[in-house]
Amino acid sequence: MTVKEDNNRVILVVDIGNTNIVLGMYEGSELLHHFRLSTSRQATSDEYGVMIYNLFRMSGVDADKIEGVMISSVVPPIVGVIEQMCRKYLKKTPLIVGPGIKTGLNLRYENPREIGADRIVNAVAAVELYGGPLVVVDFGTATTFDCVDAQGNYLGGAIVPGVGISTEALYQRASKLPRIELEKPKKVIGRNTVHAMQAGIIYGYAGQVDGIVKRIRKEMDAEDLKVVATGGLAPLICAETESVREVNPLLTLEGLRLIYERNRIVKA
Ligand SMILES: Nc1ncnc2c1ncn2[C@@H]1O[C@H](COP(=O)(O)OP(=O)(O)OP(=O)(O)O)[C@@H](O)[C@H]1O
Ligand SMILES: CC(C)(CO)[C@@H](O)C(=O)NCCC(=O)O
Ligand SMILES: [K+]
């Protein structure tokens, strides 16, 4: 790994999800490193501090070079723990996506505070990279659909049980169904249990995306709607969709970086 010797500022972005905490280190617009930790509701700020310390050491980035930290969280109890970790180990007070943070979007949810921060962050990145009108699909713990029109209005969207949790429920609740490897089966008509489950999950989720997108396109009256996807399972599912044009696994980190830049207070 290369160690950057220049004095350029580095920012740390942190996406706290229900399954994973994803961290990215950016120098300017360049993503130097990214890491995925499993979300632990028990871990203390010191335990997260040890992880961060090791990640910095492993990647050869000097923690003193961190100019600032931008966090989004959809797990309320963890954000305070990570915030404390940043203060103690990085000597930085992080910015947190929420009220008071500029996103550049006009949030048209009935109650904007209710929108998951990750959904806002995805929408910000997608608008910047692809331009509206668009829909972002994120295959995380939940699969989320977020719509933005050509004027930058965040319109809302849809929330579906995610691929991982629905597959887990099937295995937990049906005695004869095993835990399976998620890979594309050769045919949609499965002739054994594993192939039948793989067909149902992969083609089912792909069809769900195409079906919801079709309705969104109609409701937004946007023939030119762009469909962008992110999240761990996006490549697998989206290869089977007709509507998804772009898969960008790092969309949420990009969004956090953009929001940081829009809210950065330059110290004299
Ligand atoms: N190969 C796989 N087989 C089965 N389930 C998987 C696989 N890869 C990921 N998952 C599950 O899919 C879900 C989404 O995974 P992913 O890693 O994209 O989460 P994430 O985007 O970090 O989610 P969040 O942001 O909500 O924490 C998780 O519940 C995960 O356990
Ligand atoms: C839907 C999830 C769980 C996806 O991570 C998250 O965005 C969330 O908790 N949202 C809050 C509800 C909403 O966005 O309307
Ligand atoms: K996510």
Side-chain angles (χ1 to χ4, degrees):
M1 258 177 261
T2 52
V3 179
K4 298 264 171 172
E5 294 294 351
D6 54 27
N7 291 316
N8 284 357
R9 62 200 182 85
V10 173
I11 67 156
L12 178 69
V13 299
V14 186
D15 164 31
I16 305 173
N18 283 288
T19 307
N20 289 304
I21 299 178
V22 182
L23 302 120
M25 289 179 206
Y26 278 94
E27 187 179 285
S29 60
E30 185 195 352
L31 182 63
L32 299 178
H33 304 283
H34 63 282
F35 309 99
R36 191 172 275 266
L37 307 176
S38 52
T39 303
S40 162
R41 281 146 176 92
Q42 276 82 46
T44 64
S45 56
D46 293 326
E47 286 168 329
Y48 280 117
V50 169
M51 289 187 228
I52 290 281
Y53 177 83
N54 283 322
L55 293 174
F56 275 74
R57 273 190 47 152
M58 272 162 37
S59 46
V61 175
D62 184 352
D64 293 341
K65 286 223 176 122
I66 298 291
E67 180 203 84
V69 185
M70 186 84 228
I71 299 177
S72 73
S73 171
V74 294
V75 191
I78 296 185
V79 66
V81 174
I82 297 288
E83 192 176 2
Q84 219 181 333
M85 181 278 288
C86 292
R87 289 219 178 89
K88 187 165 169 186
Y89 293 95
L90 304 174
K91 310 278 182 277
K92 295 290 171 216
T93 300
L95 297 176
I96 299 169
V97 177
I101 290 289
K102 280 179 285 183
T103 62
L105 294 173
N106 176 21
L107 303 175
R108 303 269 298 272
Y109 229 45
E110 283 172 14
N111 175 3
R113 285 165 192 249
E114 208 174 272
I115 314 170
D118 52 354
R119 303 178 65 191
I120 298 176
V121 174
N122 284 340
V124 167
V127 167
E128 176 77 17
L129 294 172
Y130 310 105
L134 61 83
V135 52
V136 194
V137 189
D138 186 338
F139 298 92
T141 310
T143 301
T144 51
F145 294 77
D146 297 289
C147 307
V148 186
D149 69 13
Q151 289 74 44
N153 294 303
Y154 173 92
L155 304 173
I159 302 172
V160 191
V163 182
I165 57 179
S166 21
T167 307
E168 193 65 21
L170 199 55
Y171 153 82
Q172 296 271 354
R173 305 289 292 271
S175 303
K176 296 188 71 178
L177 299 188
R179 191 175 246 144
I180 57 159
E181 198 73 48
L182 259 196
E183 52 189 28
K184 182 185 149 176
K186 291 208 172 62
K187 296 180 170 178
V188 67
I189 304 175
R191 294 180 63 219
N192 60 53
T193 306
V194 170
H195 287 169
M197 290 174 70
Q198 287 172 336
I201 293 160
I202 294 185
Y203 299 124
Y205 266 90
Q208 177 184 79
V209 170
D210 286 338
I212 291 180
V213 166
K214 188 175 163 196
R215 285 170 188 269
I216 287 172
R217 181 174 280 124
K218 192 167 172 213
E219 200 161 295
M220 285 176 69
D221 193 16
E223 268 311 310
D224 53 342
L225 185 76
K226 286 167 206 133
V227 186
V228 184
T230 189
L233 297 171
L236 182 68
I237 305 290
C238 296
E240 307 310 314
T241 60
E242 286 168 8
S243 54
V244 178
R245 290 287 168 76
E246 298 279 347
V247 175
N248 184 337
L250 300 173
L251 202 64
T252 316
L253 298 183
E254 282 294 314
L256 283 166
R257 176 184 72 79
L258 289 162
I259 295 173
Y260 179 84
E261 300 297 343
R262 287 172 194 171
N263 291 272
R264 188 164 89 97
I265 297 158
V266 188
K267 291 196 193 90

